[in-house]
Amino acid sequence: MPMDMRLGGGQLVSEELMTLGESLSQTSDPSLKLFQCAVCNRFTTDNLDLLAVHMGAERSLPEDEWRATVGDSHQCKLCRYTTQLKANFQLHCKTDKHIQKYQLVAHIKEGGKSNEWRLKCVAIGNPVHLKCNACDYYTNSLEKLRLHTVNSRHEASLKLYK
């Protein structure tokens, strides 16, 4: 992970904090922590800042999982894009749509074989990404999750959860 990851307020996150957060947050029972990444279903934490670091992490895929060259055609398996011009393919790989889909697929694959069914949902668009385990609340935005944590229902559910 890059050392220059920043939290919402521009606060620099140290590599030690990210490593500590990852080692403490990956567990076989995701419901033990308050917040859960619903993309990979492996990362859980009680800290929203660590969840933000996890969600913003750069991910990668082996090239053969997303790219193919058949004859003189260059194909993007993620976006179903095909072109004979290598320059056009390189431009495609720099588009926001491709980058977002690439990151999402790589993130889903972090969850292992049991999570691969989610790959069928990638075409739908922006799936649910985050979960509050205390309330069983799902959202696609860290800001919505932050707002959720300040409401009275969450506070009541949090007391029961603990």
Side-chain angles (χ1 to χ4, degrees), residues 31-88:
S31 64
L32 295 178
K33 300 285 183 168
L34 184 58
F35 306 113
Q36 177 179 348
C37 173
V39 176
C40 64
N41 272 336
R42 295 186 82 191
F43 185 86
T44 64
T45 183
D46 290 328
N47 184 309
L48 283 172
D49 291 332
L50 287 177
L51 185 59
V53 169
H54 170 77
M55 294 303 293
E58 290 286 323
R59 293 169 168 83
S60 63
L61 288 170
E63 195 169 293
D64 63 332
E65 288 188 24
W66 67 273
R67 180 181 185 159
T69 305
V70 179
D72 60 348
S73 290
H74 302 277
Q75 300 174 346
C76 174
K77 297 176 187 178
L78 302 175
C79 305
R80 298 179 188 209
Y81 176 81
T82 302
T83 183
Q84 291 182 336
L85 298 174
K86 187 174 183 178
N88 284 354

Side-chain angles (χ1 to χ4, degrees), residues 11-12 24 36 53 57 63 99 115 135 143 145-146 149:
Q11 178 184 1
L12 189 61
L24 292 176
Q36 177 179 348
V53 169
E63 195 169 293
I99 292 168
N115 203 37
C135 306
E143 282 310 307
L145 188 59
R146 282 188 201 277
T149 62

Side-chain angles (χ1 to χ4, degrees), residues 2-160:
M3 293 252 326
D4 64 345
M5 292 199 70
R6 297 185 182 273
L7 299 176
Q11 178 184 1
L12 189 61
V13 178
S14 71
E15 187 172 315
E16 294 84 17
L17 176 63
M18 290 187 296
T19 304
L20 174 66
E22 284 182 4
S23 64
L24 292 176
S25 299
Q26 291 201 13
T27 175
S28 60
D29 185 1
S31 64
L32 295 178
K33 300 285 183 168
L34 184 58
F35 306 113
Q36 177 179 348
C37 173
V39 176
C40 64
N41 272 336
R42 295 186 82 191
F43 185 86
T44 64
T45 183
D46 290 328
N47 184 309
L48 283 172
D49 291 332
L50 287 177
L51 185 59
V53 169
H54 170 77
M55 294 303 293
E58 290 286 323
R59 293 169 168 83
S60 63
L61 288 170
E63 195 169 293
D64 63 332
E65 288 188 24
W66 67 273
R67 180 181 185 159
T69 305
V70 179
D72 60 348
S73 290
H74 302 277
Q75 300 174 346
C76 174
K77 297 176 187 178
L78 302 175
C79 305
R80 298 179 188 209
Y81 176 81
T82 302
T83 183
Q84 291 182 336
L85 298 174
K86 187 174 183 178
N88 284 354
F89 187 79
Q90 290 170 333
L91 287 173
H92 163 76
C93 292
K94 293 178 182 179
T95 63
D96 287 341
K97 183 179 176 183
H98 171 82
I99 292 168
Q100 288 171 355
K101 192 170 280 193
Y102 177 92
Q103 290 295 314
L104 179 59
V105 168
H107 194 171
I108 288 170
K109 287 187 172 250
E110 283 178 11
K113 292 245 182 242
S114 63
N115 203 37
E116 287 190 4
W117 65 270
R118 293 176 185 274
L119 294 172
K120 294 175 183 167
C121 301
V122 169
I124 296 170
N126 192 11
V128 171
H129 288 201
L130 308 170
K131 178 185 176 192
C132 171
N133 286 325
C135 306
D136 213 24
Y137 172 78
Y138 292 88
T139 183
N140 60 3
S141 156
L142 188 61
E143 282 310 307
K144 289 177 185 175
L145 188 59
R146 282 188 201 277
L147 289 172
H148 162 77
T149 62
V150 297
N151 77 37
S152 58
R153 274 193 205 149
H154 171 77
E155 292 295 327
S157 294
L158 181 58
K159 288 177 184 173
L160 290 172

